[in-house]
Amino acid sequence: GAIPSGQGSGFVWDTEGHIVTNDHVVAGADELQVSFPDGTTLEAEVIGMDADSDLAVIRVDPTLVDLVPVERGSMDDLAAGERAIAIGNPFGFEGTMTTGIVSALGRSIPATTGFDIPQAIQTDAAINPGNSGGPLLNSLGQVIGVNAQIESSSGSNSGIGFAIPISIVERVIPALIQDGVYRHAYLGLTGGTYTRAWAEALGFPEDAQGAYVHDVVSGGP
């Protein structure tokens, strides 16, 4: 039978051959190949992976291809309503560009580890399977996020896509390049926002405010 293979997208981070993609794009892969727009296809090795932020760094030999790193944007200048451009390989169609707007900021999206990825960018730029790991750009062509997920009942684009924000990418990627891992801070508890509806059941005052702790991780922080 055919060898099972998957595909995703990515972008050049620096001139040393490091390429950013999603953790879920490279997870479980025995070997990796990167195809560049000029037709060059190179073997790549995994440098670091972080399932909690769904980011990974792979590396190609920088002497074999002309590498042009992306320009990075800033979350500070970003607002809902601004143009958003996604580039990737949806369904294997290489180098596809789709446009839309930044639909919302500050969304939380689930990682495969049970943690949430905070501050995600929601966009209606069409993101489909194969777009994962590709860049989300602002109108200046600067990377503002890494396209990661779609919200869909059918598995195809429904106008709700999510990107991991460049602010998280700029924290995680240098650590993956240097150490191969990123150590996240976490509280080690689960809970919810305290509401008046709970006051009677818990015997707390109605005007109390804060978080109600459900569970604390054993041996956690």
Side-chain angles (χ1 to χ4, degrees):
I3 298 169
S5 66
Q7 58 195 7
S9 306
F11 55 89
V12 176
W13 185 254
D14 56 27
T15 52
E16 279 103 70
H18 294 111
I19 291 167
V20 173
T21 186
N22 283 141
D23 172 271
H24 78 258
V25 167
V26 297
D30 295 321
E31 58 180 67
L32 295 170
Q33 287 189 333
V34 177
S35 300
F36 290 89
D38 65 0
T40 307
T41 299
L42 298 178
E43 299 273 310
E45 60 170 335
V46 174
I47 298 297
M49 296 170 65
D50 179 48
D52 289 320
S53 64
D54 196 14
L55 292 171
V57 178
I58 62 178
R59 186 176 178 271
V60 297
D61 185 337
T63 63
L64 299 179
V65 66
D66 186 21
L67 295 171
V68 182
V70 296
E71 201 176 308
R72 296 176 225 159
S74 164
M75 294 299 291
D76 299 339
D77 311 324
L78 206 58
E82 289 189 31
R83 183 181 289 274
I85 303 157
I87 299 179
N89 306 308
F91 303 109
F93 294 109
E94 291 175 17
T96 298
M97 179 185 285
T98 55
T99 71
I101 59 168
V102 173
S103 305
L105 295 167
R107 299 294 198 208
S108 281
I109 57 173
T112 55
T113 56
F115 287 98
D116 276 353
I117 301 168
Q119 302 302 310
I121 302 166
Q122 182 183 327
T123 180
D124 64 350
I127 295 172
N128 280 295
N131 270 115
S132 289
L136 187 70
L137 311 171
N138 61 18
S139 56
L140 298 174
Q142 300 165 328
V143 176
I144 52 174
V146 178
N147 300 319
Q149 296 179 10
I150 54 171
E151 190 70 40
S152 168
S153 54
S154 66
S156 290
N157 170 62
S158 60
I160 300 180
F162 297 102
I164 301 152
I166 191 67
S167 51
I168 290 180
V169 178
E170 288 189 320
R171 276 212 306 271
V172 173
I173 296 304
L176 292 184
I177 290 172
Q178 190 178 319
D179 307 319
V181 293
Y182 181 82
R183 290 174 180 84
H184 290 266
Y186 75 110
L187 282 173
L189 57 85
T190 59
T193 304
Y194 178 80
T195 66
R196 287 184 166 208
W198 294 5
E200 199 172 319
L202 297 170
F204 291 166
E206 273 199 14
D207 55 355
Q209 290 182 318
Y212 183 74
V213 176
H214 292 289
D215 214 9
V216 177
V217 177
S218 173

